[in-house]
Amino acid sequence: MTASYRAPVRDQRFVLHDVLDIAQYSSLPGFADADADTVDAILEEGAKFTEGVLAPLNKVGDVEGCTRDADGNVKTPTGFKDAFKQMAESGWTALSSDPEYGGQGLPHVLNLAVNEMVSSANMAFGMYPGLTLGAAAALAAAGTDEQKQLYLPKMISCQWGGTMNLTEPHCGTDLGLLRTKAVPQADGSYKITGQKIWISSGEHDMAENIIHLVLARIEGAPDGVKGISLFVVPKFIPDENGDPGERNTLKCGGLEEKMGIHGNATCVMDYDEATGWLVGEENKGLKVMFIMMNEARLGVGLQGYAIAEAAYQQSLAFAKDRLQGRSLTGPKNQDGPADPIIVHPDVRRMLMDQKCFVEGARCFALWTALQGDLEEKSDDPAVREKAGDYMALLTPIVKSYLTGKGYDMVSNGLQVHGGSGFTEEWGASQLLRDARITMIYEGTNGIQALDLVGRKLAMNGMRPITSFFAEIDAFVAEGGNDETQAFVDAVAGCKGKLKQATDWLMNNALNNFDHAGAGSHDYLNLFGLTCLAYMWARMAKTASAKIAAGDTDPIYAAKLKTGRYFLDRWVPEAAMHLAKVEAGADSMMALEEEAF
Amino acid sequence: MTASYRAPVRDQRFVLHDVLDIAQYSSLPGFADADADTVDAILEEGAKFTEGVLAPLNKVGDVEGCTRDADGNVKTPTGFKDAFKQMAESGWTALSSDPEYGGQGLPHVLNLAVNEMVSSANMAFGMYPGLTLGAAAALAAAGTDEQKQLYLPKMISCQWGGTMNLTEPHCGTDLGLLRTKAVPQADGSYKITGQKIWISSGEHDMAENIIHLVLARIEGAPDGVKGISLFVVPKFIPDENGDPGERNTLKCGGLEEKMGIHGNATCVMDYDEATGWLVGEENKGLKVMFIMMNEARLGVGLQGYAIAEAAYQQSLAFAKDRLQGRSLTGPKNQDGPADPIIVHPDVRRMLMDQKCFVEGARCFALWTALQGDLEEKSDDPAVREKAGDYMALLTPIVKSYLTGKGYDMVSNGLQVHGGSGFTEEWGASQLLRDARITMIYEGTNGIQALDLVGRKLAMNGMRPITSFFAEIDAFVAEGGNDETQAFVDAVAGCKGKLKQATDWLMNNALNNFDHAGAGSHDYLNLFGLTCLAYMWARMAKTASAKIAAGDTDPIYAAKLKTGRYFLDRWVPEAAMHLAKVEAGADSMMALEEEAF
């Protein structure tokens, strides 16, 4: 019953080629290999793989889930193992990884487009390679040469899996409380003992080895976050040839029963004097883990809009097919018993909300990923600095805004289905159940908002946000034509309110830190809205220029129409968010705890 | 792990006694028996029953669900049958029903308070008596004396169950398409044949008989909604003594797999020349069914805030218990390893949002239920007319605003739990899964919004909304004191925007009906917000007067503080909704269907 997933290749090409014009970066490493034809070919192949192999397994994963035997072995749903093998062997997981370790070194921005397809088609599945590559990134950043040679090629190819182990039963957000301990051994290794929970992809049957990155406290280390170190703890200890050898003393102690992403094994992991090796410096583990976390946060933001894309496709197909009632302006399907429900304005509202969000979010996510490329690859220090600032500033926004709004859009998709949405038969409910985790994991959306107002705004003397505002101001100063000036005005309006909210926080939060916390959620949402308005303005200008140049591809007219809906129906939220930020903390914190 | 449900008796008493002052209606039938002591005793007993009997079965219902055997018999979850018996025998289901048929004739407003407890404790369970009483109401309104004598006493006591059968596979909202047919028999009965789907409580093992109200088309009747009649179709045909006799030829053909309310049997019902009797006039079935629907819609609105109350309690307990991080303004739990997360502003935000919504919604729902009492029982025709107008006008708002926002609040409750919210262990996910249906059934929220702008606004020459505006204007003219004037101003501000939105629709929607549909969602939300602002202003004035009179109960100060949060954080949404209404249909309808 579920509509088949179709990868939005045309829309991705619009962003990559027309809006971001990635060809302009052809002098940078990796981009030279990503000419337009190559990009298009990769997108087409990615579409085939995700539509043909991953999407059909999405419901299977939900219904079957993962199962664990008494020894702690975990079986993934039917078909996952084979799909994982296909994915690895086709090189999809190595797309933008370092060529030194077998990666293809292509731009991150292209890799993100492919990852969007993976997450839309089968989010629970996509987490297996996703976490593996995140763990590989942390090892690449902080591992020794030996560790990198040993682990990276096999992780990048997904011959081996990878995980991140942070949470313990009594500590999630507050990692300073963690208790897992590491005891140094004479040979330079450590014995790791403790329990970790909510470990996504923690144990499974798809890879010949699983490389766990585990936060633990070396005996005698300081309390709190200053005494946390990172360890690499393989399921099978590599032998002298680098092949899986002795079984390490760790195992999956249980699987969480969750409301969604059943296809991903969320494990309790028990480490019982398991052998591990330090990654990076002693007591500096959190810093390394945040390399992985930041990459993972961008990946979660991507999931947020990718699953909204899947919901949009599903609900659109339903709305075109389901006949019910007649258009308010006269029958549109004269010969049928009723009109398709897409004729009804309120159904349109839910579809257009999804559509304008997903397209804006895609542009925002790809633009952000491009900053990652520039930070890493540009030969101009000023460009690298600005791109690095943007990555720091935008990561919490990508994570929270795209998952929070993405979830709302998935809920819209379900609502379009009416009663069918609430039954498990149609698939809309699975998307809703799956999507709900994105607002929580890799740091809840509230934590992201606090990261934004508490750390990212003020960092480097407010350099990142100053730079962002300058870019917007320059864009606004350029102006638009008859068709696009409204978009430019909307960006100016949102930016003005964001600036006012920023100033309010700067002027008030230092006297009372609670003002920062109280406004953080709405501040982040105002920021996200401003980013999407900027993206829509860029898309509109691009589309308008294409039309003016005589390009008759209907996508350009559709972009302008969808963008105008965004101006009418999303931009009015900016003033509301500003008012809430400026309300401050007083009424929020006034009620005594016992009066709740 | 789930926090135990505690019925909010003190808050309900605040609304019933202090705000609505129901004692003033003691001259009306039923109210004389509802003096303050009786009301309080009933609430306390209701609390005991729902906390002690229904709440513990909520998770059981979710985990076990209902099961159907090959013959179509349906087994409810462990404990449901006994709880249903207890509920019926204690007279809870007969509280506000007609004494002529064994009801206690107490005010609907009191009954609603008890129903809130039932829905908070176990929503899926509450639907069994809820639908039974809805079906009874339709029979009471349109049945023959014989039908009423035969069915009402046993339905009001829930010795027998009841259902409503509208939907068919190809028609939900658009009932004009329905195909179930009724063939007249010589004895005055009909043979009913067809398939109905999504029939809540359609078949189960808790009552000795189930009375189905079924919409069908009599052979030869006109097409569309003008040819639909209503039939009473008992599972067991009553014998001459009124006891369950011959088994009728109807059965449950399947159970839906749903994302929530697993404890309620959602049935495919197959009627195979089943014997039924006409209720009301031929071809006028829809009108009668809407008596039941309107009652059911208010009941769903109640579920919306009742389940948010359950989520609030659950997340509040978690937020007070979970230690994680330190307050931004310095440690609050010095001796502990961390502070309880309720110290964090963003957690407070989610709790305060839930709290101010639930308390405002409770007042709104009880106030609306009181209109039902006045419409039915007042001896003043002007009061009856106004109350009837209010019921018509407010029903779609109660249904949609309280379920839409209620769902968002349940999602907030889940979010407070962080990762624990996504696991099934804590119960937050069940509430979210259960709550999602309330935005859909008894007419989707979009249909309610269309009912509001398309029918209710213009009815009787705009008499209902004119009357509502006049009440608000008079309230605003009264003004407030230093403490409450801000509440009065907020009501005035919301009302002004609602008036502007109303005028916009009146001036534009007649030229293009799509403008009405395009603005309906935001118009309804603006209306709901205005109603809650009005309720908060009334609560604030009540609390302020109590404090001025020397009452030291801390609930009054808490009401003022919670209300001020509502002013700061909810009222700013009014302008946004107005802007969206005034955006009209153009950008919403501009995109050609094939360009989606």
Side-chain angles (χ1 to χ4, degrees):
Chain A
M1 291 293 202
T2 310
S4 316
Y5 170 68
R6 286 286 163 263
V9 172
R10 181 68 190 87
D11 267 41
Q12 293 187 330
R13 287 176 48 225
F14 169 70
V15 176
L16 293 172
H17 300 320
D18 297 342
V19 182
L20 300 179
D21 182 22
I22 62 168
Q24 69 182 295
Y25 305 108
S26 60
S27 66
L28 302 187
F31 281 88
D33 302 323
D35 61 86
D37 287 347
T38 307
V39 167
D40 292 352
I42 288 173
L43 294 179
E44 290 297 343
E45 285 303 310
K48 271 190 219 165
F49 175 69
T50 53
E51 293 169 1
V53 178
L54 297 189
L57 295 176
N58 196 35
K59 188 166 185 174
V60 176
D62 185 53
V63 172
E64 286 189 21
C66 296
T67 47
R68 174 182 165 275
D69 70 18
D71 296 329
N73 301 307
V74 172
K75 193 174 164 306
T76 50
T78 307
F80 271 43
K81 189 171 177 173
D82 183 55
F84 192 77
K85 191 153 172 265
Q86 279 188 59
M87 187 172 184
E89 288 177 357
S90 313
W92 289 115
T93 63
L95 216 56
S96 65
S97 300
D98 191 341
E100 196 180 335
Y101 303 104
Q104 296 170 51
L106 286 163
H108 296 305
V109 65
L110 174 59
N111 188 47
L112 186 127
V114 173
N115 281 345
E116 178 202 313
M117 299 181 194
V118 172
S119 291
S120 293
N122 196 328
M123 185 174 119
F125 177 92
M127 294 167 66
Y128 293 102
L131 284 157
T132 303
L133 294 169
L139 280 171
T144 62
D145 277 348
E146 196 189 337
Q147 286 172 338
K148 290 194 245 187
Q149 294 296 344
L150 180 56
Y151 295 113
L152 290 186
K154 286 178 173 159
M155 293 176 75
I156 285 170
S157 68
C158 276
Q159 190 176 343
W160 292 0
T163 73
M164 53 199 290
N165 289 237
L166 289 76
T167 305
E168 299 178 6
H170 61 287
C171 72
T173 298
D174 189 355
L175 289 169
L177 301 176
L178 77 77
R179 293 182 195 145
T180 296
K181 67 174 180 184
V183 180
Q185 306 297 304
D187 65 356
S189 70
Y190 291 78
K191 294 286 183 202
I192 313 288
T193 302
Q195 187 180 66
K196 296 287 180 177
I197 64 170
W198 303 341
I199 309 308
S200 298
S201 319
E203 172 59 20
H204 57 82
D205 55 358
M206 302 196 296
E208 64 181 29
N209 202 359
I210 301 175
I211 310 308
H212 302 286
L213 292 187
V214 181
L215 288 183
R217 203 180 290 284
I218 297 172
E219 270 194 326
D223 285 345
V225 293
K226 290 180 180 162
I228 299 175
S229 303
L230 182 68
F231 298 88
V232 57
V233 190
K235 176 178 171 185
F236 293 99
I237 298 169
D239 63 20
E240 60 279 12
N241 302 317
D243 294 323
E246 187 190 348
R247 181 68 159 87
N248 211 341
T249 51
L250 62 93
K251 69 172 185 175
C252 170
L255 289 176
E256 294 293 342
E257 251 191 90
K258 312 180 299 290
M259 69 177 281
I261 52 165
H262 295 158
N264 195 274
T266 306
C267 301
V268 176
M269 294 300 299
D270 293 321
Y271 295 88
D272 181 15
E273 301 202 332
T275 302
W277 290 269
L278 188 67
V279 179
E281 291 176 61
E282 274 185 27
N283 302 334
K284 298 275 171 69
L286 222 49
K287 203 179 144 198
V288 183
M289 190 55 100
F290 266 98
I291 294 168
M292 181 168 181
M293 282 288 275
N294 277 326
E295 180 150 333
R297 286 173 175 183
L298 292 174
V300 174
L302 175 144
Q303 291 178 334
Y305 86 82
I307 199 159
E309 165 74 30
Y312 168 66
Q313 292 193 18
Q314 214 179 43
S315 54
L316 175 62
F318 189 90
K320 286 183 170 180
D321 183 61
R322 174 77 170 170
L323 305 180
Q324 207 77 177
R326 289 294 185 186
S327 164
L328 296 170
T329 54
K332 300 288 181 286
N333 176 32
Q334 287 279 10
D335 300 336
D339 289 339
I341 61 172
I342 194 172
V343 305
H344 303 308
D346 197 61
V347 172
R348 280 261 180 168
R349 174 183 63 81
M350 296 186 278
L351 292 172
M352 290 299 293
D353 273 347
Q354 293 178 80
K355 183 174 171 62
C356 79
F357 165 74
V358 169
E359 294 178 13
R362 174 177 297 122
C363 194
F364 180 41
L366 289 168
W367 179 66
T368 306
L370 180 60
Q371 309 305 316
D373 283 311
L374 295 177
E375 182 187 13
E376 189 181 299
K377 295 162 188 163
S378 176
D379 44 18
D380 180 342
V383 170
R384 284 203 306 272
E385 179 182 277
K386 183 182 166 192
D389 282 351
Y390 273 27
M391 286 297 277
L393 182 69
L394 299 177
T395 294
I397 302 166
V398 168
K399 197 282 181 182
S400 289
Y401 190 70
L402 301 194
T403 61
K405 289 290 176 190
Y407 177 73
D408 290 344
M409 294 308 109
V410 173
S411 189
N412 268 342
L414 188 150
Q415 189 73 14
V416 169
H417 289 75
S420 301
F422 194 68
T423 65
E424 294 289 359
E425 184 180 354
W426 290 79
S429 54
Q430 181 192 346
L431 295 183
L432 189 84
R433 290 186 289 96
D434 285 356
R436 190 62 185 81
I437 189 60
T438 62
M439 295 163 72
I440 298 171
Y441 62 12
E442 308 304 346
T444 63
N445 285 5
I447 288 295
Q448 306 298 323
L450 203 58
D451 177 49
L452 176 64
V453 300
R455 295 183 56 243
K456 301 301 176 59
L457 279 191
M459 76 185 270
N460 296 327
M462 297 189 73
R463 197 178 64 200
I465 184 142
T466 304
S467 159
F468 177 79
F469 283 154
E471 176 169 343
I472 300 284
D473 289 343
F475 179 84
V476 169
E478 271 175 26
N481 59 25
D482 285 355
E483 204 157 35
T484 59
Q485 186 59 44
F487 289 89
V488 175
D489 293 344
V491 175
C494 286
K495 183 259 166 179
K497 292 182 182 67
L498 181 63
K499 177 75 168 57
Q500 191 178 330
T502 309
D503 292 345
W504 192 93
L505 288 176
M506 290 300 149
N507 293 332
N508 292 278
L510 286 179
N511 307 325
N512 177 0
F513 291 154
D514 276 344
H515 284 317
S520 60
H521 170 82
D522 283 284
Y523 183 82
L524 184 143
N525 276 279
L526 176 55
F527 211 141
L529 181 62
T530 304
C531 291
L532 254 58
Y534 179 42
M535 293 300 122
W536 267 115
R538 290 184 58 168
M539 290 194 284
K541 287 179 99 168
T542 304
S544 176
K546 284 283 180 183
I547 292 168
D551 196 321
T552 57
D553 188 324
I555 191 175
Y556 300 116
K559 288 290 168 199
L560 286 167
K561 288 179 182 172
T562 306
R564 278 193 288 267
Y565 178 86
F566 179 84
L567 300 186
D568 276 353
R569 297 277 170 167
W570 283 60
V571 172
E573 297 182 5
M576 176 196 72
H577 289 306
L578 173 60
K580 292 190 185 185
V581 171
E582 292 186 340
D586 296 345
S587 64
M588 192 178 281
M589 305 307 284
L591 201 65
E592 303 77 11
E593 198 178 312
E594 57 277 15
F596 271 86
Chain B
M1 294 296 202
T2 310
S4 315
Y5 170 67
R6 288 288 163 262
V9 171
R10 183 67 191 88
D11 267 42
Q12 294 187 330
R13 287 175 48 225
F14 169 70
V15 177
L16 293 172
H17 300 319
D18 298 341
V19 181
L20 300 180
D21 182 22
I22 63 168
Q24 68 181 298
Y25 306 108
S26 60
S27 65
L28 302 186
F31 281 87
D33 302 323
D35 62 87
D37 287 347
T38 307
V39 166
D40 292 353
I42 287 173
L43 295 178
E44 288 299 344
E45 285 303 310
K48 270 190 219 163
F49 176 69
T50 52
E51 292 169 1
V53 178
L54 297 189
L57 296 176
N58 196 35
K59 188 166 185 173
V60 177
D62 185 52
V63 173
E64 286 189 20
C66 296
T67 47
R68 174 183 166 274
D69 71 17
D71 296 329
N73 301 306
V74 172
K75 192 172 165 306
T76 50
T78 306
F80 271 42
K81 189 172 178 174
D82 183 54
F84 192 76
K85 193 156 169 265
Q86 280 188 59
M87 186 171 184
E89 288 177 357
S90 313
W92 289 116
T93 62
L95 215 56
S96 66
S97 299
D98 191 343
E100 197 181 330
Y101 303 104
Q104 298 171 50
L106 286 163
H108 296 307
V109 66
L110 175 59
N111 188 45
L112 186 127
V114 173
N115 281 345
E116 180 202 311
M117 300 181 194
V118 172
S119 291
S120 292
N122 196 328
M123 184 174 121
F125 178 91
M127 293 168 66
Y128 292 103
L131 284 158
T132 302
L133 293 169
L139 281 171
T144 62
D145 277 347
E146 195 189 337
Q147 286 172 340
K148 290 195 247 189
Q149 294 296 343
L150 179 58
Y151 294 112
L152 290 187
K154 287 180 173 157
M155 292 174 77
I156 285 170
S157 68
C158 277
Q159 189 177 343
W160 293 359
T163 73
M164 54 199 290
N165 289 236
L166 288 78
T167 306
E168 300 179 7
H170 60 288
C171 72
T173 299
D174 189 355
L175 289 169
L177 302 175
L178 76 77
R179 293 181 194 145
T180 296
K181 67 175 180 186
V183 181
Q185 305 296 303
D187 65 356
S189 71
Y190 291 79
K191 293 288 184 205
I192 314 288
T193 301
Q195 186 179 66
K196 296 286 181 178
I197 63 168
W198 301 342
I199 308 308
S200 297
S201 318
E203 171 60 17
H204 57 81
D205 55 357
M206 303 197 296
E208 63 183 20
N209 202 358
I210 300 175
I211 310 307
H212 303 287
L213 292 187
V214 181
L215 288 182
R217 204 181 288 284
I218 297 172
E219 271 194 326
D223 284 345
V225 292
K226 291 182 178 159
I228 298 175
S229 304
L230 182 68
F231 298 88
V232 56
V233 189
K235 176 178 170 184
F236 293 100
I237 298 169
D239 64 18
E240 61 277 12
N241 302 318
D243 293 325
E246 186 190 348
R247 181 68 160 87
N248 210 341
T249 50
L250 61 92
K251 69 172 187 176
C252 169
L255 289 176
E256 294 293 342
E257 250 190 272
K258 313 180 298 291
M259 70 178 279
I261 55 166
H262 295 158
N264 195 273
T266 306
C267 301
V268 176
M269 294 300 297
D270 293 321
Y271 295 88
D272 181 15
E273 301 202 332
T275 302
W277 289 270
L278 188 67
V279 178
E281 292 176 60
E282 275 186 25
N283 301 335
K284 299 274 171 70
L286 222 48
K287 204 177 143 199
V288 182
M289 190 54 100
F290 265 97
I291 295 169
M292 178 166 184
M293 283 288 276
N294 278 325
E295 181 152 332
R297 284 172 177 184
L298 291 173
V300 175
L302 175 144
Q303 291 177 334
Y305 86 82
I307 199 158
E309 165 74 31
Y312 169 66
Q313 292 192 18
Q314 211 179 47
S315 55
L316 176 62
F318 188 89
K320 286 182 171 181
D321 182 62
R322 175 76 171 171
L323 304 180
Q324 207 77 177
R326 290 293 185 188
S327 164
L328 296 170
T329 55
K332 300 288 181 285
N333 176 32
Q334 288 277 11
D335 299 336
D339 289 339
I341 62 171
I342 194 172
V343 305
H344 303 308
D346 197 61
V347 172
R348 281 260 179 169
R349 175 183 64 81
M350 295 186 279
L351 292 172
M352 289 299 293
D353 273 347
Q354 293 179 79
K355 183 174 171 61
C356 80
F357 166 73
V358 168
E359 294 179 14
R362 173 177 297 122
C363 194
F364 180 40
L366 289 169
W367 179 65
T368 306
L370 180 61
Q371 308 306 318
D373 282 311
L374 296 177
E375 182 187 13
E376 188 180 299
K377 295 162 187 164
S378 175
D379 44 19
D380 180 342
V383 170
R384 286 204 304 274
E385 180 181 279
K386 184 183 164 191
D389 282 351
Y390 272 28
M391 287 297 277
L393 182 69
L394 300 177
T395 294
I397 301 165
V398 168
K399 197 282 179 181
S400 290
Y401 191 70
L402 300 194
T403 61
K405 290 290 175 189
Y407 177 73
D408 289 343
M409 294 307 109
V410 173
S411 189
N412 268 342
L414 188 150
Q415 188 73 14
V416 168
H417 289 75
S420 300
F422 195 68
T423 66
E424 294 289 0
E425 185 180 355
W426 290 79
S429 53
Q430 182 192 345
L431 295 183
L432 189 84
R433 291 186 288 95
D434 286 355
R436 191 62 185 81
I437 189 59
T438 62
M439 295 164 72
I440 298 172
Y441 62 14
E442 309 303 346
T444 62
N445 285 5
I447 287 295
Q448 306 297 325
L450 204 57
D451 177 48
L452 176 64
V453 301
R455 294 183 56 242
K456 301 301 175 58
L457 278 191
M459 76 185 270
N460 295 327
M462 297 189 73
R463 198 178 63 198
I465 184 141
T466 304
S467 159
F468 177 80
F469 283 153
E471 176 169 340
I472 299 284
D473 289 343
F475 179 84
V476 170
E478 271 175 27
N481 58 24
D482 285 356
E483 204 157 37
T484 59
Q485 187 59 43
F487 289 88
V488 175
D489 292 344
V491 175
C494 286
K495 184 259 165 179
K497 292 181 182 68
L498 181 61
K499 178 74 168 59
Q500 191 178 330
T502 309
D503 291 345
W504 193 93
L505 288 177
M506 290 300 150
N507 292 333
N508 292 279
L510 287 179
N511 308 325
N512 177 359
F513 291 153
D514 276 344
H515 283 317
S520 59
H521 170 82
D522 283 282
Y523 182 81
L524 184 142
N525 276 279
L526 176 54
F527 210 141
L529 181 62
T530 303
C531 290
L532 255 59
Y534 178 43
M535 293 299 121
W536 266 114
R538 290 185 58 170
M539 292 194 283
K541 287 178 99 170
T542 303
S544 177
K546 284 282 180 185
I547 292 169
D551 197 322
T552 57
D553 187 326
I555 191 176
Y556 300 116
K559 288 292 169 198
L560 286 167
K561 287 178 181 172
T562 306
R564 279 193 288 266
Y565 178 86
F566 179 85
L567 300 185
D568 276 353
R569 297 278 171 167
W570 284 60
V571 173
E573 297 182 4
M576 175 196 73
H577 289 306
L578 174 60
K580 291 189 184 185
V581 171
E582 292 186 340
D586 296 345
S587 64
M588 192 180 281
M589 306 304 284
L591 201 65
E592 303 77 12
E593 198 178 311
E594 57 277 14
F596 271 85

